[in-house]
Structures are given as C-alpha cells and as structure tokens.
Amino acid sequence: MPSRRVSYDLAEAPMAPGEVAIVGAGPGDPGLLTLRALSLLEQADCLVFDRLVSKEVLALASPRARRFYVGKASRCHALTQDETNALLVRLAEEGRRVVRLKGGDPYIFGRGGEEAEVLIEHGIDFRVVPGITSAQGCAAYGGFPLTHRDHAQSVTFVTGHCKADGELALDWSALAVPHHTAVFYMGLANAGLISRQLQDHGLPASHPVALVERGTTPEQRRVITCLGELVETIAREKLQPPTLIVVGEVVRLATTLAQPTPAEAIFIEGETLELVPQRVAL
C-alpha cells in the first residue's frame, strides 16, 4: 500500500465534528471498497467496526483513529446492540468524527437502519454510504451471476436466522420457485430447515446450491452441492461462518464461469472434481 494518503474530490462536504458516517465496507476484498468509503475512513477520528470488516480495510484508516470493536457472532457479542448504539451517541456527543464500519452493506442485514434511528432520536447528524453486499461479492467471486435471462429472472436476499434465535418463519412458497435465486445470509445453523422447507414446497433434491465461505478474501472456499445433500456437505467440509448459501439454477454456471484457485475443489452431488487453475491474459 502507498504510504501517502489519497484524497478524492467527491463533491461531498467533509465530515463535521460530532457526525457519524454509517459505511459499508464490502464483503472483504479491500479493492471492493467505494471511493466515498475510503474518503471517510481517512477522515475518521474513531472507527466502530464489526467482525466481518477485514484487516486490510481497517488499515486504510488513519493510524491516529481510535478503534472500537463491536463484532457479533452467534451468542457471542463484544457489545450488545444497545451498547453499540450508546457508544455511537457518546462519541458523537464528544465531538468525534465517527465512522461506523460494517461488512457488506449497512442497510442489508447490517442493522444500519436501527442505528440511524437512534442517531435521529439524539439529534446527531449522520450519513450513509452503501457497500457491495456479500451476495454480490460472493456470487461474482464464486463464478456465477445472481440473475441470468436463461436461469433466474429474480433474486431474493433472505436472513437465515431470526432475532433472539426465534423461529425462521419465511414465505417458503415464494422462495421455492423455478428461475429464481434465493440467497441466505447467516444460514448455516438453519441449513437443515432451509433444505427441508424448500423441498417440501416444491424444489427437487437435485436443485443446485452454492456455499461460499469467507467470500472475496484469500481464504475463500466455494463448494457446490444440492438441496438434498446440503446438511451433509456442510458437515463434511466443516464450513464455518461467514458462509453464504445460494440456491438456484444460476449456480450451475460456476463450472464454466469461475476462475478457480489452485486448492479449490467443487463437490457436486457427492462427486469431487479437482479443477485446474487457469491463467488469464490481461
């Protein structure tokens, strides 16, 4: 990385003391960060960041910025959401320029809307910067599109877990339709339910599924399976969060569109195919 800090003329006012920027950091690859996000990172006095924000993205902020980790994992929170809200309010009221940095997009399963409501309640100025969400990044880096004229004319982003570990009550009939892509965030723990409900509502056991672990990062793993073998595949491959579950015919395109890494293997209905890495001339 160059040592010189870079400024961009984005026709946007600089951050003011006491302002909060709710910023999407993208799915992990620092190259997917927006220019506006980078500009605000360079201005921040304080960073309040989540578990899925990569260290490479954090390194782009000013070294003088104070860092506050508020990451959440299943049943393991550095701070509760209420405590995170209170931290944002306190730092802003101290006159700090605060960047609330979230993996993916802050308004797609990122609780950005909840935090914005709290800031409004306390009269704190804020701005929101969207980021590339995990569904877009994992699909592109996994080698398949989310929509395609021949395979999927619609796409749905779905949360794979519920608030306070409640029941995952979804409109399964709307998700289990042909020519449609369903992307489940945070769905590993409920993979059995997802597989069963989609089959019960009409999708065949052979319907293709992609599992992308740590998408867009150097540790990315992509495994392709089917609904009938979803649970077994997750157990066999020891997949861990964050892993995105993508259900749909578009997944079949990964065998032709993907640019595989040397160690990557695709598992299709129990069969392992070792892929040969390709060199691409630029």
Side-chain angles (χ1 to χ4, degrees), residues 210-223:
L211 297 151
V212 185
E213 181 185 67
R214 295 192 169 279
T216 81
T217 74
E219 295 78 33
Q220 174 177 308
R221 279 201 298 161
R222 183 201 64 194
V223 179

Side-chain angles (χ1 to χ4, degrees), residues 54-73:
S54 69
K55 62 182 184 298
E56 292 83 4
V57 169
L58 290 173
L60 296 172
S62 168
R64 296 183 298 276
R66 295 176 62 192
R67 287 158 166 77
F68 298 85
Y69 174 68
V70 296
K72 297 178 179 65

Side-chain angles (χ1 to χ4, degrees), residues 33-45:
L33 200 68
T34 65
L35 292 179
R36 177 152 288 136
L38 178 58
S39 174
L40 293 171
L41 275 174
E42 294 178 350
Q43 298 176 51
D45 299 319

Side-chain angles (χ1 to χ4, degrees), residues 93-280:
E93 290 179 341
E94 290 174 357
R96 311 293 185 181
R97 298 174 179 87
V98 183
V99 167
R100 174 67 172 105
L101 200 58
K102 294 174 173 288
D105 181 276
Y107 276 5
I108 298 180
F109 304 127
R111 301 190 182 181
E114 298 173 37
E115 293 172 1
E117 289 176 321
V118 171
L119 296 174
I120 290 172
E121 289 172 6
H122 289 80
I124 293 170
D125 292 334
F126 71 96
R127 67 184 80 179
V128 179
V129 178
I132 293 176
T133 189
S134 299
Q136 298 167 304
C138 289
Y141 279 50
F144 54 89
L146 291 175
T147 62
H148 188 287
R149 287 193 297 174
D150 296 330
H151 303 287
Q153 288 78 53
S154 59
V155 59
T156 304
F157 297 164
V158 188
T159 179
H161 81 109
C162 293
K163 189 174 183 179
D165 295 324
E167 181 183 357
L168 187 61
L170 301 173
D171 186 351
W172 297 105
S173 296
L175 296 173
V177 293
H179 307 298
H180 177 77
T181 305
V183 183
F184 291 87
Y185 288 66
M186 305 163 286
L188 282 186
N190 281 314
L193 175 65
I194 292 168
S195 173
R196 183 172 62 256
Q197 287 284 6
L198 290 178
Q199 291 181 74
D200 287 348
H201 285 81
L203 290 182
S206 60
H207 202 66
V209 180
L211 297 151
V212 185
E213 181 185 67
R214 295 192 169 279
T216 81
T217 74
E219 295 78 33
Q220 174 177 308
R221 279 201 298 161
R222 183 201 64 194
V223 179
I224 294 180
T225 184
C226 60
L227 276 179
E229 298 185 5
L230 179 59
V231 174
E232 293 81 357
T233 301
I234 292 170
R236 181 181 67 240
E237 298 306 311
K238 298 181 173 61
L239 292 166
Q240 299 294 324
T243 295
L244 208 69
I245 301 173
V246 184
V247 181
E249 290 99 335
V250 291
V251 169
R252 300 188 193 278
L253 296 173
T255 57
T256 56
L257 299 182
Q259 298 296 309
T261 60
E264 186 174 37
I266 292 184
F267 298 84
I268 303 179
E269 299 179 15
E271 182 180 3
T272 302
L273 303 177
E274 293 295 333
L275 299 181
V276 178
Q278 302 174 3
R279 293 186 179 275
V280 181

Side-chain angles (χ1 to χ4, degrees), residues 1-9 35 38-40 42-43 60:
M1 297 298 298
S3 58
R4 181 173 60 88
R5 310 306 292 177
V6 181
S7 297
Y8 299 92
D9 182 6
L35 292 179
L38 178 58
S39 174
L40 293 171
E42 294 178 350
Q43 298 176 51
L60 296 172

